[in-house]
Amino acid sequence: MQQHTILLVTIIIMACVALPFLFAASAAKDKGPQVGWLGYGAQRSLVAAMLVVGVAVTGISLAVWPHSVSAGPARQVVNVTGHQWYWEIEDVRLVTGSPVVFNVHTEDVNHGLGVYDADFRLIVQIQAMPGYLNQVQYTFEKPGKYRILCMEFCGVAHHDMTSEFTVSAAKS
Ligand SMILES: [Cu+2]
């Protein structure tokens, strides 16, 4: 019922947005090609410049991904499996200061592993996919409780797919 209401509201809003465009398009139909003060040459240069900037920004900002998983002896490994609708987290004592590798897997459909800190800030996330073992690495700096939420809609009880684990302070 709620989904139908949302769909109806969406269609009405889309129609409201589309109407001015349709009006403008029909009003401009009889006037032939309009060249703005920039002219076609300048427009082409502008589009080319935007393309170059867009590709550069995308390339530079994505270059750091994917983060590789380190192979040092100091790392901690925890296996996490997603199920409809709960997380199965291997009972491992995790400590601060050395990398934790999450081996993430699912027994049924796609899930999204999202790890949140005490302030409910998302600090690490990765997809759980059938037939794949996905890895993500994170070094916890603060001891305490961390929460796990599912970040991929996976069915009626998706919102119940929460869990938590504790990270202890490393002995120095
Ligand atoms: Cu889910």
Side-chain angles (χ1 to χ4, degrees):
M1 189 59 216
Q2 195 187 3
Q3 279 177 327
H4 288 116
T5 312
I6 291 168
L7 183 66
L8 190 69
V9 169
T10 307
I11 289 170
I12 292 168
I13 292 171
M14 282 165 69
C16 292
V17 171
L19 274 174
F21 286 97
L22 291 173
F23 176 74
S26 71
K29 202 178 274 176
D30 307 325
K31 294 181 183 163
Q34 302 283 306
V35 181
W37 62 272
L38 272 174
Y40 288 126
Q43 282 181 0
R44 246 179 251 127
S45 307
L46 195 63
V47 169
M50 283 163 64
L51 202 70
V52 168
V53 170
V55 168
V57 167
T58 307
I60 291 165
S61 59
L62 290 180
V64 291
W65 280 291
H67 298 298
S68 59
V69 170
S70 74
R75 69 183 198 163
Q76 313 165 74
V77 178
V78 55
N79 295 312
V80 183
T81 308
H83 302 265
Q84 282 170 313
W85 290 276
Y86 61 96
W87 291 107
E88 189 186 333
I89 307 165
E90 192 188 5
D91 193 13
V92 179
R93 190 179 170 274
L94 299 173
V95 295
T96 54
S98 69
V100 174
V101 176
F102 292 91
N103 285 333
V104 184
H105 171 66
T106 171
E107 289 290 328
D108 38 53
V109 300
N110 266 41
H111 298 283
L113 178 88
V115 178
Y116 290 79
D117 67 9
D119 301 324
F120 214 53
R121 213 165 44 94
L122 179 67
I123 51 171
V124 64
Q125 67 141 332
I126 191 165
Q127 280 277 309
M129 297 154 69
Y132 291 85
L133 185 74
N134 291 338
Q135 292 187 307
V136 67
Q137 179 180 292
Y138 186 78
T139 304
F140 294 91
E141 300 299 344
K142 285 187 198 160
K145 273 204 165 49
Y146 289 84
R147 271 202 275 187
I148 289 180
L149 262 65
C150 184
M151 305 192 73
E152 177 81 46
F153 182 72
C154 57
V156 285
H158 158 70
H159 60 280
D160 269 343
M161 266 189 84
T162 64
S163 191
E164 59 180 33
F165 60 89
T166 305
V167 176
S168 314
K171 290 191 181 78
S172 50

